[in-house]
Amino acid sequence: MNGEYKVKKLLLLSSLLALMVPCVSNAQDTIEQCYKSATTTSAVRECLKKELQQSRDEYRETLEKLTQQAGELDRVTGRNEALPALEKANTAFDRYVAEQCRFEEKMMGSGSGAGAANLACQINLLHVRMGSIESHLGGQ
């Protein structure tokens, strides 16, 4: 790889990361608030469950917008590429979330925080994905 290509690639990756940071930061703040405000392990889990549901709802709305945009792009270009690629990416993402969060849960051992770790992981990953999706929505 030449130096110019490396610099362009680094700039692109930095730009994408900068777009995702607010989403991840919001997720971290939300998760941290659950741990600070809850007095028991079960209260932490309940708070995280509520936040996960809210994150899933936001994710679903964001994904619907991108799905419409991808479908429109396919219609305008006369190609059937964007929507199938998005569907394939979504399937891979869902599988990744399940496996990664299961791993994080198992790393907690059989402790009472294992379920909360899984929930927090899902919240984090949904927010990272929303940041990525929103970078494609420009102006919507």
Side-chain angles (χ1 to χ4, degrees), residues 92-113:
F93 174 73
D94 291 344
R95 192 171 45 251
Y96 170 71
V97 169
E99 294 303 322
Q100 180 63 31
C101 295
R102 188 173 300 123
F103 164 72
E104 293 201 19
E105 179 179 347
K106 298 304 178 193
M107 289 301 292
M108 296 293 291
S110 60
S112 59

Side-chain angles (χ1 to χ4, degrees), residues 39-55:
T39 55
T40 65
T41 304
S42 62
V44 169
R45 274 196 315 272
E46 286 309 309
C47 180
L48 290 172
K49 283 180 185 179
K50 184 181 123 213
E51 293 302 330
L52 177 58
Q53 187 56 54
Q54 184 176 340
S55 295

Side-chain angles (χ1 to χ4, degrees), residues 77-97:
T77 62
R79 294 185 234 155
N80 188 26
E81 297 175 344
L83 193 54
L86 175 61
E87 290 168 352
K88 188 173 182 177
N90 290 339
T91 299
F93 174 73
D94 291 344
R95 192 171 45 251
Y96 170 71
V97 169

Side-chain angles (χ1 to χ4, degrees), residues 24 69 99-100 103 133-134:
V24 175
Q69 184 174 313
E99 294 303 322
Q100 180 63 31
F103 164 72
I133 289 171
E134 287 169 352

Side-chain angles (χ1 to χ4, degrees), residues 21-33 48 51 55 120 122-128 130:
V21 167
C23 291
V24 175
S25 178
N26 290 341
Q28 290 296 334
D29 292 345
T30 297
I31 291 166
E32 190 175 311
Q33 192 59 39
L48 290 172
E51 293 302 330
S55 295
Q122 290 179 63
I123 293 166
N124 275 325
L125 293 178
L126 283 173
H127 282 265
V128 169
M130 278 190 282

